[in-house]
């Protein structure tokens, strides 16, 4: 919900039914302040609640915690309340550390500001630029259509194809943008089926398609560190506060299997159990996909060049780190071991602004794939949120607050670790059904990380638990951007979303525990 990037649709061909943009769907709500709405007055109570609650917490904490620790606890509660309630815009809340932390003597302004330039911020920025280039070249649409054609055009197969395409695209492009890309495709297919055979496009087929897109976007974005903001927050928190560095390829060894299994279960729940399509065959489905692919024509030069940039970036993210560990590489190509994920992302972003979008004979000006004006679509507020969250995490450690929290919960070591982790996962998941998952992750990661250390649990387990839990909200339209966009299509109801979402929430909690006992130990060499 904190994502703001929207895809450009200006260059889409008018004869393509799948190129229509959904008006105002998934757009960010305007600020209530000054609107004259009587309900807006209640925002002032929430606005005041943040600093008042933070002050009270700082006053009631015991003297065994240093003044700076009590102050950072109060600031954290203030920020958490404003983040969760959005009493002010989330990026504005994220700027509070720059004012409050130096004011209370926790650190100098230089030390407080340094996390705002953390490598994670640039990793996300590079990923966003790559996503923008993919959207503007229309490569995403070709991928979606080819995936559906490959999987099949029976009703349940189309649902699976839409889910796979949504998941793959959202692993590299923002959730909001992917949903805005994929929902019109699903609606166009649905409308075509209705025009041919109304009985084949009933409410169950509509629900399975639209929810399939929404859930596919959410699930696929957990596969990579740039898929959605909580993933990058996880990497940043672990590096900043726990000195644990998760590489792009390492996380994919966890995220991709998780996403594949979760996607398969979500498809079974939607297309085979809860919303089994009314018809076994879909008249005109294959014809629609072929017509839309024909409308796209052959792969254009921008598509090919963006695809090459993407392929090279993925190569450096996934393959090069493994090659860098080989003895021959260490001896002859040692520089490969120094290449960072954020460095690769920024190199790819720079390439998008440098590589010509067309052949010189077609455009002598040599205009690049992206002009700098596209930078206005980068979610700068989201990058500020990363900085604010990482700055808060750093102060938790620097002021001794993390150590103090750990000491307070040390007496709970008799409680089974798995029970604590289940409780954390449930709390994180339920809260993110009602609030921004990014804000929830930013507020919870340092708190639960400190609790994990105090209880003798490796913070890696607790951090991954919170991250996957806040990325597993399926029940309500406000839970994720993709849910909101799918609901905005008018083809599904909240009741339908809740009916399917309950199943997937339970499944995701079980899969979190399964991943902690299988994938995480295998990839990171730790045990719960």
């Amino acid at each position: 919900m904190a994502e703001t990037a929207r895809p450009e649709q200006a260059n889409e061909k008018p004869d393509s039914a799948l190129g229509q943009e959904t008006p105002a769907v998934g757009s960010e709500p305007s600020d209530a302040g000054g609107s004259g709405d009587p309900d807006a007055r209640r925002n002032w109570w929430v606005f005041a609640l943040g600093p008042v609650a933070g002050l009270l917490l700082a006053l009631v904490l015991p003297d065994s915690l240093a003044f700076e620790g009590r102050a950072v606890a109060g600031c954290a509660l203030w920020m958490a309340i404003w983040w969760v309630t959005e009493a002010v815009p989330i990026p504005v809340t994220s700027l509070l550390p720059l004012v409050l932390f130096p004011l209370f003597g926790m650190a100098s302004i230089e030390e407080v500001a340094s996390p705002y330039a953390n490598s994670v911020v640039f990793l996300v920025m590079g990923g966003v630029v790559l996503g923008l280039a993919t959207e503007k070249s229309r490569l995403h649409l070709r991928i979606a259509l080819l995936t559906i054609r490959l999987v099949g055009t029976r009703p349940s197969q189309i649902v699976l194809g839409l889910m796979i395409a949504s998941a793959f695209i959202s692993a590299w492009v923002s959730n909001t943008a992917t949903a805005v890309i994929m929902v019109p495709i699903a609606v166009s297919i649905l409308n075509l089926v209705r025009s041919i055979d109304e009985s084949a496009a009933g409410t169950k087929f509509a629900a399975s398609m639209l929810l399939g897109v929404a859930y596919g976007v959410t699930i696929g974005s957990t596969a990579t560190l740039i898929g959605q903001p909580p993933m990058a927050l996880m990497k940043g928190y672990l590096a900043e506060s726990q000195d644990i560095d998760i590489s792009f390829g390492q996380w994919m060894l966890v995220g991709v299997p998780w996403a594949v299994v979760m996607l398969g279960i979500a498809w079974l729940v939607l297309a085979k159990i809860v919303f089994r399509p009314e018809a076994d065959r879909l008249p005109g489905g294959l014809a629609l996909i072929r017509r839309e692919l024909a409308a796209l024509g052959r792969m254009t030069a921008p598509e090919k060049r963006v695809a090459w940039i993407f392929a090279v970036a993925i190569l450096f993210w996934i393959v090069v780190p493994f090659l860098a560990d080989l003895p021959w590489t260490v001896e002859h190509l040692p520089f490969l071991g120094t290449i960072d994920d954020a460095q690769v992302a920024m190199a790819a972003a720079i390439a998008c602004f440098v590589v010509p979008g067309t052949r010189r004979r077609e455009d002598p000006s040599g205009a690049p794939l992206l002009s700098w004006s596209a930078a206005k679509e980068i979610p700068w507020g989201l990058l500020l949120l990363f900085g604010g969250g990482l700055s808060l995490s750093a102060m938790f450690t620097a002021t001794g607050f993390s150590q103090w929290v750990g000491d307070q919960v040390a007496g709970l070591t008799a409680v089974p670790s798995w029970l604590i982790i289940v409780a954390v996962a449930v709390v994180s998941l339920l809260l993110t059904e009602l609030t921004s998952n990014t804000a929830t992750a930013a507020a919870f990661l340092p708190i639960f990380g400190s609790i994990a250390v105090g209880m003798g649990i490796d913070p890696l387990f607790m951090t991954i638990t919170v991250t996957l839990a806040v990325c597993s909200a399926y029940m309500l339209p406000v839970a994720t951007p993709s849910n909101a966009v799918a609901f905005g299509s008018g083809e599904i109801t909240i009741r339908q979303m809740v009916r399917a979402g309950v199943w997937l929430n339970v499944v995701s909690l079980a899969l979190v525990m399964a991943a902690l006992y299988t994938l995480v130990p295998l990839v990171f060499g730790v045990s719960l």
Side-chain angles (χ1 to χ4, degrees), residues 6 41 74 137 146 236 258 324 379:
R6 295 286 301 273
R41 296 178 184 175
S137 69
L146 288 173
W258 155 275

Side-chain angles (χ1 to χ4, degrees), residues 123-124 127-128 130 166-175 217-235 246-260 310 313-314 317-318 341 386 467-468 471:
L123 173 65
V124 174
V128 168
L130 269 175
S166 300
F168 178 79
I169 295 172
S170 69
W172 314 100
V173 181
S174 81
N175 285 13
V217 169
T218 299
I219 294 167
S221 62
T222 62
T224 68
L225 290 175
I226 61 172
Q228 60 174 305
M231 316 308 297
L233 275 173
M234 171 190 67
K235 175 180 171 63
I246 296 181
S247 70
F248 204 96
Q250 267 186 314
W251 176 253
M252 288 189 71
L253 291 175
V254 175
V256 171
W258 155 275
V260 169
F310 235 127
I314 293 172
W317 275 329
I318 300 174
D341 291 338
F386 284 127
T467 304
L468 292 178
C471 295

Side-chain angles (χ1 to χ4, degrees), residues 121-420:
V121 174
F122 294 99
L123 173 65
V124 174
M125 185 189 299
V128 168
V129 173
L130 269 175
L132 290 174
T134 303
E135 296 160 26
K136 291 181 183 296
S137 69
R138 294 167 58 84
L139 177 62
H140 62 280
L141 185 56
R142 189 179 300 277
I143 292 172
L145 292 171
L146 288 173
T147 302
I148 296 172
R149 189 178 71 175
L150 178 66
V151 173
T153 56
R154 289 176 178 268
S156 60
Q157 291 173 335
I158 285 185
V159 173
L160 179 60
L162 287 170
M163 294 181 72
I164 292 174
S166 300
F168 178 79
I169 295 172
S170 69
W172 314 100
V173 181
S174 81
N175 285 13
T176 307
T178 305
V180 173
I181 291 164
M182 295 300 300
V183 165
I185 295 177
V187 172
S188 296
I189 294 174
L190 189 61
N191 288 335
L192 178 69
V193 175
R194 284 172 177 162
S195 67
I196 299 173
D197 184 358
E198 185 72 28
S199 63
T203 56
K204 290 184 178 181
F205 181 49
S208 62
M209 285 183 66
L210 272 300
L211 289 176
V213 168
Y215 297 162
V217 169
T218 299
I219 294 167
S221 62
T222 62
T224 68
L225 290 175
I226 61 172
Q228 60 174 305
M231 316 308 297
L233 275 173
M234 171 190 67
K235 175 180 171 63
Y237 165 74
L238 287 172
E240 186 79 24
S241 301
Q242 305 296 338
D243 198 27
I244 299 174
D245 184 31
I246 296 181
S247 70
F248 204 96
Q250 267 186 314
W251 176 253
M252 288 189 71
L253 291 175
V254 175
V256 171
W258 155 275
V260 169
V261 174
M262 191 67 205
L263 194 72
I265 294 175
W267 175 70
L268 288 173
V269 169
L270 287 174
K272 300 297 182 180
I273 300 175
V274 181
F275 298 116
R276 189 182 184 91
E278 289 84 352
D280 291 331
R281 292 186 173 274
L282 190 63
L286 183 59
L288 170 66
I289 303 303
R290 286 176 174 170
R291 187 171 72 246
E292 293 302 326
L293 281 171
L296 285 177
R298 298 181 63 182
M299 225 175 155
T300 63
E303 285 182 85
K304 293 178 181 178
R305 294 177 184 188
V306 170
W308 273 110
I309 293 173
F310 235 127
V312 173
I314 293 172
L315 174 71
F316 274 86
W317 275 329
I318 300 174
V319 179
V320 169
F322 292 100
L323 296 178
D325 291 333
L326 298 177
W328 185 91
T329 308
V330 172
E331 182 179 354
H332 297 89
L333 301 172
F335 69 91
L336 288 180
T338 65
I339 296 176
D340 183 78
D341 291 338
Q343 187 180 356
V344 174
M346 293 310 299
I350 292 171
C352 291
F353 289 109
V354 173
V355 173
T358 56
R359 299 177 180 86
R360 184 163 294 276
R361 65 175 180 270
E362 298 172 358
D363 182 7
S365 66
L369 291 166
L370 286 179
S371 62
W372 180 246
S373 61
K376 68 179 183 294
E377 298 180 45
I378 296 175
W380 299 105
L382 178 62
L383 302 182
L384 288 177
L385 187 145
F386 284 127
L390 295 175
S391 186
L392 179 63
S393 299
M395 286 304 103
F396 270 34
T397 302
T399 62
F401 181 71
S402 293
Q403 180 64 45
W404 182 84
V405 170
D407 292 340
Q408 303 312 302
V409 300
L412 297 176
T413 51
V415 179
S417 299
W418 68 266
L419 186 60
I420 297 294

